[in-house]
Amino acid sequence: MSLDPSDAAPTEALIPLHCRQAARPGPPELTTLLTGTPVYLVRRHADVRQVLTDPRLGRAPLYAADAPPLTPYPNLLDDPDGLLNLDGQEHQRLRRTVQRAFTPRAIARWRPWVASVVEDLVSRLSDAARPADLITAFARPLPVAVISRLMGLDTLDLKRLAYWSDHALSTSAHTPEQVREAIVDFLAFGTALVAKRRAEPGDDLVSSLVLAADEDGEVTEQQIVRLVIGLVVAGHETTMTSLGNALVYLLTDGRDAWERLAGSEEEAAAAAEQLLRSVPLGENEVLPGLLRRAKEDVEIGGVLVPAGSVVAADHFAANHDPEVYPADWQGGLFDPVGTPHLTFGAGPHHCLGAWLARMELELALHRLARRLPGLRLTVPVAEIEWRRGLLTRSPQTLPATW
Amino acid sequence: MSAGFAGPGEHGGLTVSVDRTRCAGTGLCAASAPDDLALSDGRARPLRERTDALDEVVEAAELCPMEAITVRRVATGEQLAP
């Protein structure tokens, strides 16, 4: 894989993510990461859930002194002080500083406000010249507005935000040096923000987490700063990706569902949940799944995984495990998912923002379908331009008319 | 957080229940109320039928990312958390 973004130009059209076929789950298989590091690839729903919840497997050992190389590229997820890479008590201590803001009830209180942001964006979109780009006008500004409001970042420079998030989860899109520079700049922003909110606290999430962390006394400054910048990226990047890929499906192969999405928020919520389960956020070419490392010998799906082994939990395959879910997800788009899917993970690192992401996705799809019943893409699927060279893949632009 | 609730033991105890389908196995509850909740097979379960550890179990229920834990007063059935 090339490190020069110009070399990454597509020679053939990429398939939309809803067309990706999940690997058929079987017992854990020993394969290798791009770095040559051996990895146990786990795909069955029950096994993936075990990997993510079993305390004998952790994130911190992935970054221990004896750990093997995991990716050929640096990225924000590698930071040992990040929430994702702490285990046990240290992890719980940091997560508790923000957890209360993300429970279903806490998130539900934001619903009217998020709905008003969605309505606003749809109004502006419907007044815009056609064709308009659904990513620039809708899929990007919605999560950015939500996380900015939540964290009190109303004066945030959007160009700088785009710069950080394009680099934070980069694989081949930028050189390692460019990525490191962007992370240094992002950390400086986080450090200054934490200092400012400590000095002049407001009623935003950053102020409350700094207060909770300072009260705890054992949370380090490095951990606080990385949590803050992690929230900024996680709060919009993945939601934008998920919404963009959902729109690709709903405006192409899934277009028949558009009218029903407009019908009610409940139906839109059901469809959003099925889309979250079924449409992956990207390819698994750099990371074949959510990584963990065994702290001791552990049996997974009948296979003995020795202490020190790296394990990848392929939640995409698990979400399509025929033992658990029907084969045709598109035919059951409005059906309840049943067994909880693993898109948001499970265990200690279960996605903090899961309920916020769900709410944004269901409101976005419902209101867009209701207000623009005739929405359609103005480019064929094969000509969709994708954001490439990142850990996730989503449309760069999505020109549409109505 | 639990201000206004009756103190432990005053109403003959509390029950803690877990929706094991909903549970995502984050383990935050077991850290908040180690005498009342533990993980088994990646899901939380209550450790005893009745408890008086009001502050701990209310915190466990309020922190749960899935709202899979319910705390009730035995005598009245009143839901105390979440």
Side-chain angles (χ1 to χ4, degrees), chain B residues 18-46:
Chain B
V18 177
D19 180 339
R20 302 234 323 155
T21 305
R22 207 171 154 83
C23 175
T26 63
L28 287 160
C29 58
S32 300
D35 295 335
D36 283 288
L37 290 149
L39 289 188
S40 63
D41 296 330
R43 290 182 171 86
R45 65 182 172 86

Side-chain angles (χ1 to χ4, degrees), chain A residues 232-270:
Chain A
V232 173
V233 170
H236 79 280
E237 171 71 34
T238 45
T239 308
M240 177 185 79
T241 298
S242 175
L243 180 52
N245 288 325
L247 286 171
V248 170
Y249 169 66
L250 291 166
L251 298 176
T252 58
D253 299 331
R255 189 61 178 74
D256 288 349
W258 197 245
E259 193 179 331
R260 196 166 162 192
L261 273 176
S264 75
E265 283 189 11
E266 290 70 29
E267 296 244 78

Side-chain angles (χ1 to χ4, degrees), chain A residues 82-155:
Chain A
L83 180 65
L84 178 61
N85 297 330
L86 300 174
D87 287 335
Q89 272 199 334
E90 210 180 4
H91 169 259
Q92 293 217 348
R93 194 174 276 138
L94 187 60
R95 180 150 176 160
R96 288 170 83 95
T97 66
V98 283
Q99 180 57 53
R100 271 171 214 277
F102 290 97
T103 61
R105 282 155 181 254
I107 292 303
R109 288 195 280 272
W110 288 90
R111 196 174 187 93
W113 182 78
V114 173
S116 74
V117 174
V118 172
E119 286 291 336
D120 222 36
L121 289 169
V122 181
S123 293
R124 267 188 265 169
L125 180 64
S126 60
D127 291 341
R130 301 173 219 182
D133 172 21
L134 296 178
I135 304 301
T136 312
F138 194 69
R140 190 189 287 267
L142 171 64
V144 169
V146 171
I147 199 67
S148 298
R149 172 73 183 265
L150 203 64
M151 299 181 73
L153 306 176
D154 300 332
T155 57

Side-chain angles (χ1 to χ4, degrees), chain A residues 8-213:
Chain A
T11 49
E12 58 188 80
L14 291 168
I15 59 163
L17 287 149
H18 68 263
C19 296
R20 269 193 66 204
Q21 292 293 315
R24 202 177 166 78
E29 267 173 53
L30 194 55
T31 170
T32 53
L33 297 171
L34 286 183
T35 50
T37 296
V39 61
Y40 285 88
L41 184 53
V42 174
R43 293 183 168 129
R44 288 188 294 223
H45 190 281
D47 297 345
V48 167
R49 199 179 187 287
Q50 186 201 332
V51 168
L52 299 177
T53 56
D54 194 321
R56 294 172 295 176
L57 294 142
R59 284 287 304 178
L62 289 167
Y63 300 97
D66 69 338
L70 305 174
T71 62
Y73 320 100
N75 69 69
L76 191 65
L77 303 182
D78 292 337
D79 196 315
D81 285 313
L83 180 65
L84 178 61
N85 297 330
L86 300 174
D87 287 335
Q89 272 199 334
E90 210 180 4
H91 169 259
Q92 293 217 348
R93 194 174 276 138
L94 187 60
R95 180 150 176 160
R96 288 170 83 95
T97 66
V98 283
Q99 180 57 53
R100 271 171 214 277
F102 290 97
T103 61
R105 282 155 181 254
I107 292 303
R109 288 195 280 272
W110 288 90
R111 196 174 187 93
W113 182 78
V114 173
S116 74
V117 174
V118 172
E119 286 291 336
D120 222 36
L121 289 169
V122 181
S123 293
R124 267 188 265 169
L125 180 64
S126 60
D127 291 341
R130 301 173 219 182
D133 172 21
L134 296 178
I135 304 301
T136 312
F138 194 69
R140 190 189 287 267
L142 171 64
V144 169
V146 171
I147 199 67
S148 298
R149 172 73 183 265
L150 203 64
M151 299 181 73
L153 306 176
D154 300 332
T155 57
L156 185 64
D157 177 350
L158 295 182
K159 282 202 184 114
R160 207 169 165 209
L161 175 66
Y163 164 67
W164 296 326
S165 48
D166 282 347
H167 286 75
L169 303 179
S170 161
T171 55
S172 58
H174 306 281
T175 65
E177 196 42 49
Q178 287 171 330
V179 172
R180 284 190 201 98
E181 267 173 34
I183 291 175
V184 166
D185 187 56
F186 201 6
L187 282 168
F189 162 82
T191 305
L193 181 65
V194 167
K196 192 165 170 238
R197 298 293 157 84
R198 183 176 278 129
E200 301 164 43
D203 61 0
D204 61 279
L205 183 62
V206 181
S207 299
S208 69
L209 86 83
V210 170
L211 185 69

